[in-house]
Amino acid sequence: RMSGLVMLLPHGHEGQGPEHSSARVERFLQLAAEGNIQVVNCTTPASFFHVLRRQLRRSYRKPLIVMSPKSLLRHKRCVSALEDLAPGSHFNRVIGEADGFALGEEIRRVVLCSGKVYYDLLGRREEQGIEDVALLRMEQIAPFPGRSLTVELAKYGQAEIVWCQEEPRNQGAWSYVQPRINAVLKGFQETPRRLGYIGRPEAASPASGSFKTHLSEQALLVGDALA
């Protein structure tokens, strides 16, 4: 049965404690199969606009789970140009690097991520003047955007591919994306590559509950991603 249900479940590690951090994206991803639901984590106003517009405009109805955190409402870098919402624009399941950023052999590592951790990675990359690490955002996690991801990863040849998330390893999108991204990588003709993991170690709780500990953990994982 078709359903146009939209659930807005703010999900993001802000250092405010376990129940403020996790909308349990991993549980929705466990339910996702055969195109039954959509799980997205938008990082721009344009993405949020287009995913809601798409929900109304499609000729069919599937539940939409939006994991975008409230902190992006006031994030100074979370903005979109007018042309990103104008006629001819659309929802991008995967957002690649900005035009003019390095490609091919100039890139030694590609960091895949979803959600607001992108802005932490982007800020640190600019602070340190790093030019050989590319950042790709998966705006849609399920159904898995294999075709869009293949197009983006094909630009980077032999670069190391890692997944970066804020959640502990046993939570978040890691368990869902790992086999699927590895299947994409296996399809390339170059030397086979396997996806690496960067994020918090396994934990029983979604978050530490200590703001100081949270900042320390966040700085460590962002540093590891760009190392």
Side-chain angles (χ1 to χ4, degrees):
R1 298 180 63 181
M2 292 196 293
S3 169
L5 173 71
V6 176
M7 298 178 68
L8 306 181
L9 302 175
H11 172 88
H13 283 242
E14 322 282 359
Q16 299 300 312
E19 299 311 318
H20 289 269
S21 299
S22 184
R24 295 293 186 179
V25 60
E26 64 275 4
R27 296 181 181 177
F28 288 96
L29 292 174
Q30 283 182 325
L31 297 172
E34 300 176 323
N36 62 335
I37 61 173
Q38 309 160 83
V39 180
V40 302
N41 197 347
C42 302
T43 58
T44 69
S47 280
F48 189 47
F49 166 76
H50 283 299
V51 80
L52 294 178
R53 181 178 183 273
R54 182 182 74 171
Q55 186 74 351
L56 291 174
R57 292 284 296 171
R58 277 178 163 171
S59 60
Y60 58 89
R61 295 285 182 263
K62 297 289 184 181
L64 173 65
I65 317 298
V66 181
M67 291 289 174
S68 304
K70 291 181 287 185
S71 66
L72 292 188
L73 289 171
R74 57 185 181 274
H75 199 291
K76 294 180 180 179
R77 305 198 67 162
C78 184
V79 295
S80 294
L82 185 59
E83 55 264 29
D84 294 333
L85 297 100
S89 59
H90 57 87
F91 177 66
N92 292 301
R93 294 169 175 83
V94 178
I95 299 180
E97 271 294 354
D99 293 339
F101 197 79
L103 292 173
E105 295 182 359
E106 299 177 55
I107 297 298
R108 63 176 175 82
R109 171 179 281 185
V110 175
V111 180
L112 293 168
C113 63
S114 185
K116 76 173 189 66
V117 70
Y118 165 77
Y119 291 105
D120 294 335
L121 294 166
L122 180 64
R124 179 74 67 87
R125 187 177 72 174
E126 292 179 348
E127 286 175 10
Q128 298 183 352
I130 298 171
E131 298 180 349
D132 57 358
V133 177
L135 305 176
L136 303 185
R137 286 171 275 176
M138 282 180 51
E139 300 288 281
Q140 177 174 299
I141 306 172
F144 183 73
R147 184 179 302 175
S148 300
L149 194 59
T150 299
V151 170
E152 291 297 331
L153 290 179
K155 301 174 182 178
Y156 298 102
Q158 298 294 320
E160 177 189 13
I161 312 295
V162 300
W163 172 263
C164 179
Q165 67 176 33
E166 299 178 293
E167 302 89 347
R169 187 177 183 127
N170 58 317
Q171 300 170 38
W174 169 245
S175 296
Y176 179 85
V177 302
Q178 181 194 19
R180 291 166 174 82
I181 296 176
N182 276 330
V184 170
L185 294 176
K186 189 176 180 180
F188 292 115
Q189 298 301 314
E190 301 92 349
T191 304
R193 294 174 287 176
R194 291 191 64 81
L195 183 68
Y197 170 83
I198 293 175
R200 288 173 168 83
E202 290 187 358
S205 171
S208 67
S210 163
F211 189 61
K212 182 178 180 180
T213 301
H214 165 78
L215 292 179
S216 175
E217 293 173 345
Q218 196 76 359
L220 181 63
L221 72 89
V222 170
D224 286 347
L226 300 175

